[in-house]
Amino acid sequence: MIKIGQSNDSPCSSGGGTEITNHSIIKFNGKADIGCGCKILVYNKGEIVFGKNFRMNNQNFIGCCNNITFGEFVNIAHQTQIFDTDFHYLFNLKSKSTKNNNMPVYIGSYSWIGNRVTIMKGTKIPDYSIIASNTLLNKKYDTQEGSILAGIPAKISKENYLRIRNNGMESKLSKYFEQNENTEYKFPINIDVMKLTKY
């Protein structure tokens, strides 16, 4: 099922209805939830591909002239913007030339994108990436899976981290930390890590 413009638990207001302007191709490869106040614009010969179990919170903006592809189980917080284009060309006075103003964007499966992130043309991030709030991405990131990218422009902040998405485990951890604020929760050595990453 594809849900568009439905309110959710975002800390920001809904921002009104969601707008989709499609002059080319939008593909959904499975379930998708898109929050309120979002804008999705597809121009020219652009193509957006949403992988299965895609989730996007409120007040996000996606502008596509080329190709933007989201892997499976991608989760985006609120007020993020994603563009595969600069929208305009820049004239180089010295060389009397200009460069292509659009390049594809790829967001790997199981990636978690924080709030107020900006993703620019040519960005490619691997599966299981975590993008910190207020980060700017503008290139291909040859990082290992489980990397946290942060900053302007983005750099590796930490490695070997996965977002826990399993609702039952999140509830269990919340109860644990209510009683044990200043400790770490130790998982069993033989835990199935992949089960933690799925809703």
Side-chain angles (χ1 to χ4, degrees):
M1 179 184 295
I2 299 166
K3 298 178 183 177
I4 298 174
Q6 293 197 347
S7 185
N8 48 41
D9 297 327
S10 172
C12 68
S13 63
S14 69
T18 289
E19 300 175 26
I20 298 177
T21 303
N22 183 17
H23 296 291
S24 191
I25 299 170
I26 298 175
K27 290 182 183 177
F28 290 92
N29 289 330
K31 180 182 173 184
D33 292 327
I34 296 173
C36 296
C38 295
K39 291 186 179 180
I40 299 173
L41 307 176
V42 186
Y43 308 92
N44 305 329
K45 297 180 180 178
E47 179 180 24
I48 300 177
V49 179
F50 294 101
K52 69 179 182 180
N53 293 301
F54 174 84
R55 286 186 179 182
M56 184 165 71
N57 218 314
N58 298 337
Q59 298 180 359
N60 290 291
F61 180 47
I62 301 175
C64 176
C65 288
N66 187 308
N67 179 274
I68 299 174
T69 298
F70 299 93
E72 300 177 354
F73 289 91
V74 170
N75 192 215
I76 301 173
H78 58 277
Q79 296 177 345
T80 282
Q81 52 186 3
I82 302 171
F83 309 113
D84 65 1
T85 178
D86 293 330
F87 293 101
H88 306 286
Y89 293 99
L90 296 178
F91 180 73
N92 186 316
L93 292 167
K94 192 172 182 179
S95 67
K96 305 291 191 257
S97 65
T98 190
K99 293 183 178 179
N100 190 358
N101 70 350
N102 62 77
M103 294 173 64
V105 168
Y106 178 78
I107 308 300
S109 294
Y110 297 93
S111 291
W112 178 29
I113 299 168
N115 64 303
R116 297 185 178 136
V117 169
T118 296
I119 298 175
M120 304 300 295
K121 69 176 187 182
T123 296
K124 183 175 181 180
I125 60 173
D127 296 348
Y128 298 98
S129 293
I130 298 173
I131 313 302
S133 297
N134 299 300
T135 294
L136 184 143
L137 300 104
N138 59 0
K139 65 179 184 178
K140 179 181 178 183
Y141 293 87
D142 292 317
T143 54
Q144 67 180 33
E145 293 181 357
S147 293
I148 299 177
L149 295 168
I152 301 174
K155 295 180 182 177
I156 297 173
S157 171
K158 295 179 181 178
E159 295 180 322
N160 299 309
Y161 281 85
L162 297 176
R163 181 181 173 195
I164 296 171
R165 300 169 187 255
N166 182 286
N167 291 333
M169 179 53 70
E170 285 199 327
S171 178
K172 181 178 180 179
L173 290 172
S174 293
K175 289 177 183 175
Y176 174 83
F177 286 115
E178 284 175 8
Q179 304 297 320
N180 305 279
E181 289 183 0
N182 298 315
T183 64
E184 287 187 353
Y185 179 89
K186 293 290 187 181
F187 291 92
I189 294 173
N190 62 346
I191 188 166
D192 184 349
V193 175
M194 292 301 103
K195 283 187 177 179
L196 295 177
T197 66
K198 295 183 179 179
Y199 304 116

